[in-house]
Every structure is written in structure tokens, then in C-alpha cells.
């Protein structure tokens, strides 16, 4: 039975729809309510049983690796600012997982970022969680990565998450063409990166959670760059789907594209509404506010 114990978290590139990242504050370090985006993503991986987390970061992303490092200055500051809940969360992660950081020397796309994790992944299967997407489990169900890991461990076939999107959003995502095997569970027949809505009949988009057989690494090693000189993960997944098969599954979790302006605001509002300390007051405020707009 294959076990998934390793994950790659690529930090996002600087796409146009993203929030501006500066050299010192990468957007993964922007706060959603009371913790940086990256902490939510790492927590999802750890809850799914991942023990080695490989952060792939480019220039100017030191703040991400520093955040997970033992830092007397940070810990002293968190304690002094009364942010010890955040400190507890970081410490819990450090106790359960190894956080390993690898520098992506050239911004050559998501496929290349995943390939940068090869020295740690070796010959094992692994998960990929995009560093600017947050998913929060709903209705007491396992989180998205946990569900993908379970599917892979049962079938030995790479499995990715998919979500239905509106026509206008098709060109923002990798899109999977699928055949439904059982409710919410699909065989992927093809994939296309950011097509025009007219170029595919599928509306099943990839929200950035994947579990791969190690074969994807060999495919990426031989991949040629395409769109904008980048190595697209989606192209290599298309080949994986032809060579070995690829499954896809939907999820009930709430998902936020925290690297997008609207998604970032939505994540803050919804997670603050669910927060026992902030929720009641914020909810009353929003009810009053909507009367004015
Ligand atoms: C990347 C992937 C795309 C995926 C998306 C999810 O694109 O290339 O397949 O659907 O993340 O957010 P990006 O958003 O980095 O342009």
C-alpha cells in the first residue's frame, strides 16, 4: 500500500491577478484573520499525515522559510504581542513535520517548481498544495489533501481535486476533461491549461491540490517549456493521464484563492465570521453595512 508522507508547496509566481508581493513580504505571508496564508496550507498537509514538507520559493521569499524556523526573536515577539496562539500553531507544525526549503533559482513555472522538490521526494509518491490556495474542511469531513491521499493509497492512481467553475473563470485555471465513475469521482481523459471557454466543454477546474505517483517527476524531467517559456504542470499531468491514468474528485471544503484580491477578502471575512472571538461582532457589523450599499 503506497503511503504519502511528503508534499511540495510551491510559492506562487507573480501573476497579474495576484496581490502585489514585495521583495520582503511574499503574499503567502499575508494574514488571513490571525495567521499567514502559508500556515493554513502547511496545516492542511500536516493534518493529511505529511511528514516532510518541501517549500519551493524563489527570490524574496525568505520570510516564508524564516516563519517556520525556530526564531528566538519571532517567538519572543509573538509572546510579547500576546500572539501565543499563533506561536502554538507554528510550534505544533514544527513538532509534527520537517519543513524543508528549496530555492527555485529561475521562475520557470509550476512544473519546474515541482521538479525542484525532486532531491527530497526521491522515488516516493507525493502531494502538491499550491501555496496561495486555502481550503478549509467543512461538515467534519477530512480535508481536501486527506481525501486525495486516501484515494491514492486505495487505488495507487494519481488523484487531483476539481471544482466546477463558471464560463468566465475557465481561462484562469487548468481544466480537466473527465468521465464520471461514481458521484464526485472521475477518470481524467485530458487536461488543458487556461483554455478559452470555447476551447473545452469541461468546466472542471484544478484548484491546486494534487497527489502524484512518482512517475510525474520523470515526465517533468523530460518536459519542454511551453506557455511563456514555462514548464506547465498541466502538460505533464496530461501525459501522466495517458501513461498511467489520473483520477479526479470534487470536495465539500470551502476554498479560497487567497492570492487573488477578491478571494483574499472573502477568506478574511468568512474565516473571521467562523472565529468565535470575532464572528458575532463582525456579523452584526456586516448586517448593518449591507443596509448602506
Ligand atoms: C496554477 C496552475 C493551474 C491551476 C491554478 C490554481 O495557475 O497552473 O492549472 O488551476 O494554479 O490556482 P496560476 O494560478 O498559478 O496561474
Amino acid at each position: 500500500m503506497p503511503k504519502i508522507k511528503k508534499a511540495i508547496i510551491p510559492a506562487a509566481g507573480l501573476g497579474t491577478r495576484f496581490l502585489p508581493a514585495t521583495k520582503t513580504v511574499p503574499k503567502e505571508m499575508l494574514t488571513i484573520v490571525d495567521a499567514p496564508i502559508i500556515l493554513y496550507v502547511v496545516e492542511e498537509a500536516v493534518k493529511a499525515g505529511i511528514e516532510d514538507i518541501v517549500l519551493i520559493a524563489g527570490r524574496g521569499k525568505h520570510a516564508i522559510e524564516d516563519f517556520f524556523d525556530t526564531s528566538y526573536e519571532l517567538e519572543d515577539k509573538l509572546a510579547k504581542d500576546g500572539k501565543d496562539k499563533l506561536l502554538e500553531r507554528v510550534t505544533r507544525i514544527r513538532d509534527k513535520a520537517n519543513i524543508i526549503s528549496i530555492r527555485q533559482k529561475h521562475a520557470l513555472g509550476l512544473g519546474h517548481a515541482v521538479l525542484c522538490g525532486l532531491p527530497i521526494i526521491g522515488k516516493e509518491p507525493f502531494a502538491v498544495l499550491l501555496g496561495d490556495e486555502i481550503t478549509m474542511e467543512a461538515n467534519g469531513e477530512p480535508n481536501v489533501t486527506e481525501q486525495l491521499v486516501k484515494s491514492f493509497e486505495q487505488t495507487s492512481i494519481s488523484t487531483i481535486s476539481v471544482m466546477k467553475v463558471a464560463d468566465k473563470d475557465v481561462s484562469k485555471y487548468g481544466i480537466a476533461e473527465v468521465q464520471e465513475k461514481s458521484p464526485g469521482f472521475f477518470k481524467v481523459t485530458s487536461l488543458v491549461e487556461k483554455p478559452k471557454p470555447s476551447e473545452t466543454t469541461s468546466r472542471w477546474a484544478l484548484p491546486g491540490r494534487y497527489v502524484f505517483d512518482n512517475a510525474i517527476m520523470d515526465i517533468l524531467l523530460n518536459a519542454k517549456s511551453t506557455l511563456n517559456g514555462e514548464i506547465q504542470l498541466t502538460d505533464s499531468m496530461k501525459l501522466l493521464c495517458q501513461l498511467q491514468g489520473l483520477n479526479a474528485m470534487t470536495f465539500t471544503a470551502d476554498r479560497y484563492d487567497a492570492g487573488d484580491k477578491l478571494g483574499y477578502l472573502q477568506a478574511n471575512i468568512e474565516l473571521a465570521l467562523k472565529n468565535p472571538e470575532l464572528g458575532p461582532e463582525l456579523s452584526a457589523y456586516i448586517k448593518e453595512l449591507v443596509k448602506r450599499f
Side-chain angles (χ1 to χ4, degrees), residues 17-18 110 130 133 173-174 193-194 206-208 210 232 234:
R17 73 195 176 87
F18 290 137
L110 183 56
L130 296 196
E133 303 266 344
Y173 295 99
E193 180 68 6
K194 304 197 176 90
L206 278 44
Y210 322 76
Q232 296 298 327
T234 307

Side-chain angles (χ1 to χ4, degrees), residues 7-13 17-18 27-28 36-45 53-56 61 64 104 109-115 126-135 144-145 148 160-161 163 172-174 193-194 205-212 231-234 237 255-259:
I8 295 177
I9 302 185
R17 73 195 176 87
F18 290 137
K27 68 177 165 191
E28 292 82 359
I37 296 171
I38 193 73
L39 184 58
Y40 291 91
V41 181
V42 168
E43 284 176 338
E44 177 182 336
I53 294 174
V54 193
L55 299 171
I56 311 289
K61 302 265 180 180
I64 303 176
Q104 185 184 19
L110 183 56
H112 177 253
V114 170
L115 191 54
F126 60 98
V128 174
L129 296 88
L130 296 196
D132 57 350
E133 303 266 344
I134 293 182
T135 73
V144 177
T145 300
L148 295 177
I160 58 175
S161 62
M163 62 178 186
K172 291 183 190 168
Y173 295 99
E193 180 68 6
K194 304 197 176 90
L206 278 44
R209 296 292 185 268
Y210 322 76
V211 166
F212 290 120
I231 295 176
Q232 296 298 327
L233 180 61
T234 307
M237 285 163 58
R255 172 256 173 200
Y256 309 97
D257 182 356

Side-chain angles (χ1 to χ4, degrees), residues 14-75:
L14 304 177
T16 45
R17 73 195 176 87
F18 290 137
L19 295 164
T22 70
K23 281 193 173 167
T24 48
V25 187
K27 68 177 165 191
E28 292 82 359
M29 288 304 296
L30 295 175
T31 299
I32 304 284
V33 186
D34 51 8
I37 296 171
I38 193 73
L39 184 58
Y40 291 91
V41 181
V42 168
E43 284 176 338
E44 177 182 336
V46 170
K47 185 146 185 281
I50 304 293
E51 292 170 358
D52 292 325
I53 294 174
V54 193
L55 299 171
I56 311 289
R59 273 154 63 91
K61 302 265 180 180
H62 291 297
I64 303 176
E65 36 191 90
D66 291 350
F67 179 74
F68 289 103
D69 222 355
T70 311
S71 149
Y72 298 107
E73 297 93 322
L74 174 70
E75 287 168 19

Side-chain angles (χ1 to χ4, degrees), residues 4 126-128 144-145 147-162 184-186 188 209-213 237 240 245-250:
I4 305 286
F126 60 98
V128 174
V144 177
T145 300
Q147 292 183 22
L148 295 177
V149 164
K150 198 165 156 210
S151 164
F152 181 84
E153 290 181 350
Q154 283 168 353
T155 62
S156 298
I157 295 179
S158 305
T159 311
I160 58 175
S161 62
V162 286
F185 194 78
F186 310 87
V188 178
R209 296 292 185 268
Y210 322 76
V211 166
F212 290 120
D213 181 273
M237 285 163 58
L240 182 73
L246 179 65
N247 289 331
M249 55 201 294
T250 53

Side-chain angles (χ1 to χ4, degrees), residues 6-292:
K6 296 182 177 178
I8 295 177
I9 302 185
L14 304 177
T16 45
R17 73 195 176 87
F18 290 137
L19 295 164
T22 70
K23 281 193 173 167
T24 48
V25 187
K27 68 177 165 191
E28 292 82 359
M29 288 304 296
L30 295 175
T31 299
I32 304 284
V33 186
D34 51 8
I37 296 171
I38 193 73
L39 184 58
Y40 291 91
V41 181
V42 168
E43 284 176 338
E44 177 182 336
V46 170
K47 185 146 185 281
I50 304 293
E51 292 170 358
D52 292 325
I53 294 174
V54 193
L55 299 171
I56 311 289
R59 273 154 63 91
K61 302 265 180 180
H62 291 297
I64 303 176
E65 36 191 90
D66 291 350
F67 179 74
F68 289 103
D69 222 355
T70 311
S71 149
Y72 298 107
E73 297 93 322
L74 174 70
E75 287 168 19
D76 193 43
K77 186 165 173 18
L78 286 173
K80 278 195 190 124
D81 292 351
K83 291 186 182 158
D84 30 7
K85 280 198 189 134
L86 180 58
L87 184 56
E88 262 172 48
R89 283 169 74 175
V90 179
T91 310
R92 203 175 313 134
I93 292 294
R94 278 205 305 250
D95 290 347
K96 289 194 172 163
N98 302 307
I99 309 279
I100 302 145
S101 181
I102 291 186
R103 168 73 76 101
Q104 185 184 19
K105 293 188 192 123
H106 306 286
L108 292 178
L110 183 56
H112 177 253
V114 170
L115 191 54
C116 288
L118 183 58
I120 304 297
I121 299 298
K123 293 281 172 208
E124 291 183 41
F126 60 98
V128 174
L129 296 88
L130 296 196
D132 57 350
E133 303 266 344
I134 293 182
T135 73
M136 300 297 292
E137 62 256 48
N139 316 321
E141 298 211 355
N143 72 39
V144 177
T145 300
E146 276 178 288
Q147 292 183 22
L148 295 177
V149 164
K150 198 165 156 210
S151 164
F152 181 84
E153 290 181 350
Q154 283 168 353
T155 62
S156 298
I157 295 179
S158 305
T159 311
I160 58 175
S161 62
V162 286
M163 62 178 186
K164 242 323 168 18
V165 292
D167 289 7
K168 68 173 176 50
D169 293 326
V170 165
S171 58
K172 291 183 190 168
Y173 295 99
I175 299 287
E177 291 169 1
V178 298
Q179 279 169 3
E180 191 155 25
K181 288 177 156 182
S182 57
F185 194 78
F186 310 87
K187 174 183 160 60
V188 178
T189 54
S190 193
L191 290 135
V192 50
E193 180 68 6
K194 304 197 176 90
K196 292 194 187 108
S198 58
E199 288 168 343
T200 175
T201 51
S202 174
R203 296 299 177 255
W204 289 108
L206 278 44
R209 296 292 185 268
Y210 322 76
V211 166
F212 290 120
D213 181 273
N214 194 268
I216 194 84
M217 285 297 192
D218 290 327
I219 299 174
L220 283 167
L221 274 171
N222 294 306
K224 302 226 165 27
S225 51
T226 49
L227 209 64
N228 316 325
E230 296 185 343
I231 295 176
Q232 296 298 327
L233 180 61
T234 307
D235 292 339
S236 293
M237 285 163 58
K238 188 172 170 180
L239 207 53
L240 182 73
C241 141
Q242 289 157 7
L243 294 173
Q244 285 203 336
L246 179 65
N247 289 331
M249 55 201 294
T250 53
F251 53 89
T252 50
D254 297 322
R255 172 256 173 200
Y256 309 97
D257 182 356
D260 171 79
K261 284 179 202 161
L262 184 62
Y264 179 75
L265 292 169
Q266 286 166 334
N268 265 301
I269 293 169
E270 286 192 34
L271 296 189
L273 283 170
K274 285 182 192 158
N275 181 305
E277 280 167 31
L278 299 168
E281 224 173 306
L282 181 64
S283 164
Y285 168 72
I286 290 173
K287 282 178 192 144
E288 280 306 308
L289 191 67
V290 288
K291 292 181 191 159
R292 287 198 267 134

